[in-house]
Amino acid sequence: MAENLPTTTLGYPTPATTPPNGVVDDCAYRPRITVLASSRAVVSGRLTAATVVIFLDTGKITSIFHSVLPASDFPAGTPYVDHSPHILLPGLVDAHVHLNEPGRTEWEGFWTGTRAAAFGGVTTVVDMPLNAIPPTTTVNGLREKVEAAHGQCWVDVGFYGGVVPGNLGELKGLVQGGVRGFKGFMIDSGVAEFPALSSLDIARAMVELSDEPTTLMFHAEMIPPIAASVGAEVQSSLPPLAPVGPLNDYKTFLASRPPSFETYAISEIISLALLAPKLPLHIVHLSAIEAIPILKEARAQGVNITAETCFHYLSLAAETIRNGDTRHKCCPPIRTQSNQDRLWTELMRDDDSVLQTVVSDHSPCTPNLKLLPSGIAGKGDRTIDGEGGDFFAAWGGVSSVGLGLSILWTEGQRRGISPEKIVNWCCKNTARQVGLEHQKGDIAVGFDGDVAVFDDEDTFVVEPDTMLFRNKCSPYQGKTLQGVVKETWLRGQRIFSRADGFDLKVGPVGKLLLEPRIKKAQGDGR
């Protein structure tokens, strides 16, 4: 809803009172606004010419005109920029980022991670509950996370809570503390302080959160209980417990985490969904196209479940990954080109797609944990037996926060994507997923004045100076991407410029988004 402010005919706020002497001092009473304009802007889901007025006292958009108004239409001295022909996009909402602070700040931190986000037009990130120490699985853990974040965030930051065995009594307190949702693992997370859930744990969490304004999300991989066996013991046999093939061969790693891991886990979640029919469920980083029909059928039967995929699943393919290049290791794994193509087919559907959002799942680590071989490794990076490249021993995760818009636009050029599609996947739907649809993800009156100025024709090479996250270790290094964010605006303040960088005198102005989510009336959807 728009701010209830006195306005002129142009829709921006004016002084509500007149000085006692009846004389208005233009300098003292000039409305504190910023005006951004362009011949192309995505406004309420439509590409149009636009002039956007942002009231700096609130950071909210107060009016939008579907044409490029001249600077002369505004009070003298009003900050005004016509960005034509670049596209004004809503600031992206990356709803899946691991910032790792406190505890593993050498992997990533609020200062570096949020600067990287701003570089790529992301104005809101939501921090995952694991890889920090302590994890965000208790109210005290959330307090420590918030304390660590204060004064360090260049963009707005929200937080997820974690669901782990034994923390059932913390969940409602975390909701009241302002977490945007919850995440649980159905397979080993890779860190001891965030153990996997059993089906009984999931059932209990669903019941506990059934009437709460939140979303329950899952890393949906499980080892199916039946393996290639014969005889009467087929129902209880264990899967193969050792990889088959060289450990530095990507095919060996890919075969070790087949699509059945995802389909089995998703089927398990769906089987439990009746315990909390109103609770929104969400599958994070879906990679296997075999899961899509299962999710479609569940949604057709009324199960409140959606899924996201990631920039790397939509742009990288198993066939092109060199042996030993563990920068590509993530779980679930990057699959084949044909799998990627079918993810795109689902994502591009005009009707109700299973894949509602696209996120980074920025999951960084120090380069030595990637165990890169000498031909890929940087100076001082750790290798194994002088060779390295062990996909099973290396840490899993792809670093890409702040690169996603350009990755998606580059890959989408041959697939016919539009700016409006990207806004749906990376702004509007991600904001709705985390309960911020009333203030983020759109250029609309009453919303935060978060804007990315996007040059859809310019290109750049991904090098250390364009990877602003802490550790410059990414499978995108050396790749040429199309689409450059020229400026990023947060609530009407320019926080990043490709030409001038960051204003260290102003410093980080990002807010911590800790207002509890609003409980929706039945039938209002997510």
Side-chain angles (χ1 to χ4, degrees), residues 88-103:
L88 303 184
L89 300 175
L92 274 65
V93 179
D94 192 340
H96 191 144
V97 176
H98 294 265
L99 292 174
N100 299 345
E101 188 173 3

Side-chain angles (χ1 to χ4, degrees), residues 246-325:
L247 301 186
N248 70 340
D249 190 329
Y250 187 75
K251 291 179 181 178
T252 306
F253 174 67
L254 181 59
S256 76
R257 303 192 77 121
S260 59
F261 278 30
E262 293 188 71
T263 57
Y264 184 78
I266 290 170
S267 295
E268 185 75 2
I269 294 163
I270 291 169
S271 73
L272 297 169
L274 288 176
L275 294 171
K278 293 186 292 183
L279 178 65
L281 306 174
H282 184 74
I283 307 302
V284 300
H285 51 50
L286 186 142
S287 77
I289 51 95
E290 289 84 352
I292 290 173
I294 299 170
L295 288 165
K296 282 185 182 297
E297 182 179 359
R299 286 166 62 85
Q301 294 175 356
V303 178
N304 191 3
I305 190 167
T306 56
E308 68 190 33
T309 194
C310 301
F311 303 121
H312 44 275
Y313 299 134
L314 295 170
S315 61
L316 304 174
E319 293 91 337
T320 62
I321 298 175
R322 290 185 290 167
N323 287 349
D325 193 350

